[in-house]
Amino acid sequence: MPTDASSLIPPALDRLRQHPEVAPEEVPGLLERLAQVPDPRDPRGVRHALVVVLALSACAVLAGATSILAVGEWITDAPPHVLEHVGVRLDPLFPKRSLPAETTVRRLLARIDGDALDLAVGRWLADRRNPAAGGLRGLAVDGKSLRGAARAKGRKIHLIAALDHATGLVLAQLDVREKTNEMTLLAILSGW
């Protein structure tokens, strides 16, 4: 069943809404982290790099977009300097930049690995922490079941999240799958 065009954005990108103040020098770090998300598409016929679509989506969320439709509208009206910073290429046939359509963004966000995107966003947020704070850092790890959400077989969706005590940032969030538990995912969360 196709996702509604006005559906909410993925939770990993939604976490950016709490931290809208991004300096231009932080953009390369965001692009580097988003480049770690695996591309689920067949490379033949790909017009827009995954990192560009994710970066434009992240910029839209940082600018206040709350739905995929709003993300698509923001991308259409994105300032030229933002397009240049995130790596949108010039169209070889026309003297303008080729932008991903809202349907492309929606389909791609529905297909990517949510855990990988969440990890990339969490790492970028952790990169932005004040390095002057130094010393030990405390993490709180907790698991939660999503209310009103279930898998095809009726099993509830359960997430485990790591929160930085000093900043209140959710640094990582992973789905606890059927064949595992929170303790096995704790090693993954603490490994970065």
Side-chain angles (χ1 to χ4, degrees):
M1 172 177 260
T3 305
D4 182 32
S6 62
S7 63
L8 297 176
I9 56 173
L13 292 176
D14 199 37
R15 289 188 355 203
L16 294 173
R17 190 179 324 287
Q18 302 164 3
H19 312 282
E21 59 293 328
V22 178
E25 61 271 8
E26 293 177 300
V27 173
L30 176 61
L31 295 175
E32 181 181 317
R33 291 301 187 183
L34 292 176
Q36 297 170 350
V37 177
D39 194 337
R41 303 173 292 178
D42 185 333
R44 296 176 296 195
V46 169
R47 292 184 58 201
H48 307 285
L50 176 65
V51 68
V52 170
V53 176
L54 292 177
L56 288 171
S57 299
C59 289
V61 171
L62 288 166
T66 58
S67 69
I68 301 246
L69 183 60
V71 167
E73 290 173 353
W74 187 91
I75 290 171
T76 301
D77 299 330
H81 70 278
V82 172
L83 299 175
E84 187 176 332
H85 264 83
V86 299
V88 177
R89 298 183 308 236
L90 288 173
D91 190 309
L93 302 176
F94 303 105
K96 65 176 192 164
R97 297 191 186 276
S98 174
L99 300 174
E102 178 266 330
T103 53
T104 301
V105 173
R106 180 172 23 93
R107 281 192 307 259
L108 192 52
L109 289 178
R111 291 184 59 202
I112 60 170
D113 180 356
D115 288 342
L117 177 60
D118 202 69
L119 197 58
V121 169
R123 285 180 173 169
W124 181 70
L125 290 172
D127 293 345
R128 297 179 70 210
R129 285 185 333 113
N130 183 4
L136 296 176
R137 102 177 162 187
L139 293 178
V141 179
D142 192 19
K144 298 286 182 206
S145 291
L146 296 180
R147 190 182 323 190
R151 301 213 184 280
K153 294 181 181 179
R155 184 184 160 275
K156 288 195 176 220
I157 296 174
H158 192 72
L159 302 175
I160 183 171
L163 176 101
D164 185 332
H165 276 274
T167 62
L169 292 174
V170 175
L171 300 176
Q173 179 174 282
L174 296 172
D175 184 11
V176 179
R177 309 247 185 238
E178 272 185 63
K179 302 287 184 184
T180 188
N181 60 37
E182 291 179 7
M183 295 309 292
T184 56
L185 292 177
L186 185 58
I188 295 171
L189 289 177
S190 63
W192 62 273

